[in-house]
Amino acid sequence: MSVHEDATAIRDDLVRLRRRLHAEPEIGLHLPRSQEKVLTALEGLPLEVSLGKALSSVTAVLRANRPGPVVLLRADMDALPVQERTGLDYASRVDGVMHACGHDLHTAMLVGAAHVLAARRDALPGDVIFMFQPGEEGWDGSAAMIAEGVLDAAGKRPDAAYALHVFSAAVPHGVFTARPGTTMAASDGLEVTVVGSGGHGARPHRANDPIPVVCEIVTALQTLVTRQCDIFDPVVLTVGSLHAGTRRNVIPDTARFEATLRTFSAPAKARIKDAAITLAESVARAHGLRAEVTYIDGYPLTVNDPRETAFAADTIGEVLGGHRFHHRADPLPGGEDFSRVLQRIPGAFVLLGAGDGTTDNHSPLAEFDDAVLPDGAAVLAELALRRGWSTLS
């Protein structure tokens, strides 16, 4: 049987695992129920398993019987603080938490790849590290696993690293896509608190109202992006949280907002970082108030190695057919902490369409098709097998 046929033979097991994960989602770095499900699904395989100390990670090493390149395969396991509204019979049973980004599929696919590769251990040309990672959604779980030694789990650094990510709308259903170079944006945060002095809403001249100042900063930041940033090196700035006050007739002491900034190059990041801080502080000062500004350096650019990306494209084409892989023209503005791995190991971050295109990732209505599970598992397994046989150094 081929690798894809083996993965298809365990489809029902992968679907059950995915749906169990979906029904009991967990947030952040500590995912004890998810970790337990993964460990149960890996039972009986010839793996060297180690668990994280600062987070509920699972690292499993499959030792080959012959020397060859070490390959790392990664899946993220955490969910989002989203109230699910899909109505699925396996919908989240945890209030306010949902696998709205498809990490439950990633985890099931990597378990499937482990089973397929374990059955081919005698033919495996090099060790494989399976990286089951918590905390991708803003918790930097990849950095924590790297700090705990995931890249050295096989005794030497990986020669290549790969990860898949499903999308419900950004990629056509069943299509794999990737591009060399920048694939996902750098993702940073901006937190601004304008400090004034409160008072009565009927006598604003006796107070220092921070609310109009915050509003001015928010709109000025959008103008800043269009007037000071190169349109061919784009910046995305979105204010996602704004809070001030308690009642309509009370001027508060402070007003606060938080924004996300997405950039696609180091110069663009440096430019918007300096400009945004200066703008917020200057606007507040112009009104006689003070702005406390914090810039949070988040996930770096996700940069695919050109040769590993071409290798992944060829592998997918040979396994599933050339029509199943599309070369992606543009990067996505989402952030991804697999970037931490790709900063150290040449590899590829590959996208996979798994939805009907009607809702986007992170939506409370986001749905992902279980039918892609065997394909994802087979591709991960084939990347590990074929990378060992390839002439890439």
Side-chain angles (χ1 to χ4, degrees):
M1 293 176 68
S2 69
V3 166
H4 190 257
E5 288 170 333
D6 280 356
T8 301
I10 59 171
R11 178 191 184 280
D12 290 347
D13 293 334
L14 301 185
V15 169
R16 281 191 291 270
L17 173 59
R18 182 257 162 154
R19 294 186 177 191
R20 287 198 300 270
L21 289 162
H22 192 91
E24 285 193 284
E26 297 173 292
I27 292 175
L29 297 174
H30 300 289
L31 319 175
R33 294 189 299 273
S34 302
Q35 183 188 60
E36 181 182 4
K37 290 179 178 67
V38 168
L39 292 173
T40 299
L42 298 177
E43 281 181 358
L45 299 183
L47 301 171
E48 298 173 10
V49 176
S50 58
L51 307 182
K53 298 179 176 63
L55 69 172
S56 301
S57 61
V58 177
T59 300
V61 178
L62 179 62
R63 297 289 183 187
N65 290 325
R66 63 183 73 183
V70 174
V71 174
L72 182 145
L73 304 175
R74 178 270 209 164
D76 40 11
M77 304 189 293
D78 59 320
L80 285 157
V82 172
Q83 183 65 49
E84 182 163 357
R85 294 194 284 112
T86 62
L88 296 168
D89 57 6
Y90 56 90
S92 171
R93 298 195 297 266
V94 181
D95 190 47
V97 183
M98 177 189 175
H99 269 296
C101 204
H103 296 186
D104 48 340
L105 281 84
H106 304 165
T107 303
M109 289 173 183
L110 190 55
V111 166
H115 278 266
V116 171
L117 289 172
R120 284 172 163 72
R121 187 181 182 188
D122 290 341
L124 189 64
D127 299 341
V128 182
I129 302 171
F130 301 95
M131 177 181 176
F132 293 91
Q133 180 211 307
E136 188 280 327
E137 296 288 356
W139 298 82
D140 214 348
S142 182
M145 288 192 71
I146 290 171
E148 292 194 352
V150 67
L151 299 183
D152 301 305
K156 64 172 250 184
R157 284 290 173 105
D159 296 274
Y162 307 102
L164 296 179
H165 200 301
V166 297
F167 282 84
S168 58
V171 180
H173 185 277
V175 169
F176 293 78
T177 182
R179 70 188 306 273
T182 299
T183 295
M184 302 282 279
S187 173
D188 298 332
L190 181 70
E191 298 178 354
V192 177
T193 299
V194 175
V195 181
S197 57
H200 199 293
R203 294 166 61 82
H205 62 287
R206 297 294 298 272
N208 288 309
D209 191 348
I211 292 179
V213 178
V214 157
C215 293
E216 186 172 330
I217 294 172
V218 169
T219 55
L221 284 170
Q222 302 303 322
T223 303
L224 169 68
V225 169
T226 64
R227 299 279 72 101
Q228 294 191 36
C229 297
D230 185 348
I231 62 170
F232 297 107
D233 190 5
V235 172
V236 178
L237 190 157
T238 298
V239 175
S241 173
L242 194 155
H243 297 278
T246 56
R247 293 183 62 85
R248 65 187 183 191
N249 63 342
V250 178
I251 294 172
D253 286 329
T254 62
R256 172 182 171 83
F257 71 86
E258 298 181 13
T260 183
L261 299 99
R262 310 300 172 108
T263 52
F264 298 90
S265 73
K269 172 174 174 168
R271 183 166 54 247
I272 193 65
K273 179 177 181 178
D274 291 343
I277 293 171
T278 299
L279 183 148
E281 293 176 342
S282 300
V283 170
R285 189 181 306 115
H287 289 277
L289 283 74
R290 174 170 54 89
E292 298 174 350
V293 184
T294 301
Y295 193 96
I296 302 167
D297 290 302
Y299 296 162
L301 293 167
T302 302
V303 181
N304 280 352
D305 179 83
R307 291 201 301 169
E308 296 294 350
T309 304
F311 168 73
D314 290 343
T315 297
I316 294 165
E318 291 171 10
V319 172
L320 298 176
H323 66 289
R324 295 290 300 276
F325 183 86
H326 294 179
H327 289 278
R328 187 168 187 84
D330 301 311
L332 285 173
E336 171 57 58
D337 73 348
F338 190 62
S339 56
R340 306 285 191 197
V341 175
L342 294 180
Q343 283 181 320
R344 296 161 173 84
I345 309 296
F349 187 72
V350 180
L351 316 182
L352 169 58
D356 61 6
T358 60
T359 57
D360 212 342
N361 287 32
H362 291 210
S363 165
L365 298 173
E367 293 188 34
F368 302 90
D369 188 356
D370 289 330
V372 303
L373 292 173
D375 291 348
V379 165
L380 289 171
E382 288 278 18
L383 287 171
L385 282 166
R386 294 173 182 238
R387 184 59 177 78
W389 301 328
S390 76
T391 58
L392 289 178
S393 59

